[in-house]
Amino acid sequence: MTTTASTTTALIADSRALGLAHYAARGVLEHVLARHGITFQQQIALRAAVTADTPQTPDHLVTHVRGSLKADPVDIRATLDGLLAKQLLVADGAHLRRTDAGRELIAVVGAEIAPITARIWGGIPAEDLAAAGRVLALVTERADAELAALTA
């Protein structure tokens, strides 16, 4: 029998640890999304459209997704085209409107991922989550500033 040391106490919060956690959680979500025929980027764009109070322009959705994923605007527009082709979004003049199918898909994915998310995050003390949230917000702010400087 082989035993392995727990990595939860050995890791120091750094870019690698953050990346490993991100990709582990994203892998779980992508597995669920694949069962529904959509990609991670499509889910981010569709969620933005579904949760918006009013229909969004393609430019607004591109800006939202780019802000979240730092993805190429050309790729994001292709993502929106894919959502239109799947009839999860529909063009309504200058805006993209969520369809009932798009809203339902987000709800179904949310229901499927909720118990998994609860198992992943469950049992972590609230003070640890609060500290991690503060650190992650600061890292995000600093990384966004560095990216802005690099792309200016």
Side-chain angles (χ1 to χ4, degrees):
M1 181 165 99
T2 306
T3 59
T4 58
S6 173
T7 58
T8 58
T9 58
L11 288 179
I12 294 175
D14 62 9
S15 295
R16 182 176 184 279
L18 174 61
L20 290 172
H22 164 76
Y23 283 111
R26 182 172 168 173
V28 171
L29 177 58
E30 285 180 340
H31 183 80
V32 171
L33 294 172
R35 291 196 302 246
H36 297 283
I38 66 168
T39 66
F40 181 76
Q41 188 161 299
Q42 286 175 325
Q43 182 262 346
I44 296 294
L46 182 58
R47 179 173 296 285
V50 166
T51 59
D53 292 333
T54 60
Q56 302 296 297
T57 66
D59 287 344
H60 181 267
L61 288 172
V62 166
T63 299
H64 178 86
V65 174
R66 189 163 191 221
S68 296
L69 300 180
K70 315 306 183 237
D72 184 311
V74 172
D75 292 340
I76 299 168
R77 289 195 183 278
T79 294
L80 295 176
D81 290 344
L83 293 170
L84 288 162
K86 292 176 185 284
Q87 297 182 345
L88 299 171
L89 294 177
V90 64
D92 184 9
H95 295 87
L96 297 179
R97 186 173 42 83
R98 60 194 176 223
T99 64
D100 289 342
R103 186 177 15 257
E104 182 179 322
L105 178 59
I106 290 298
V108 167
V109 167
E112 284 183 34
I113 202 70
I116 300 168
T117 299
R119 288 191 298 273
I120 291 169
W121 290 91
I124 300 173
E127 60 272 9
D128 289 352
L129 292 173
R134 288 188 302 273
V135 169
L136 292 173
L138 182 57
V139 168
T140 300
E141 180 183 316
R142 289 177 177 179
D144 282 347
E146 290 294 331
L147 182 59
L150 289 170
T151 57

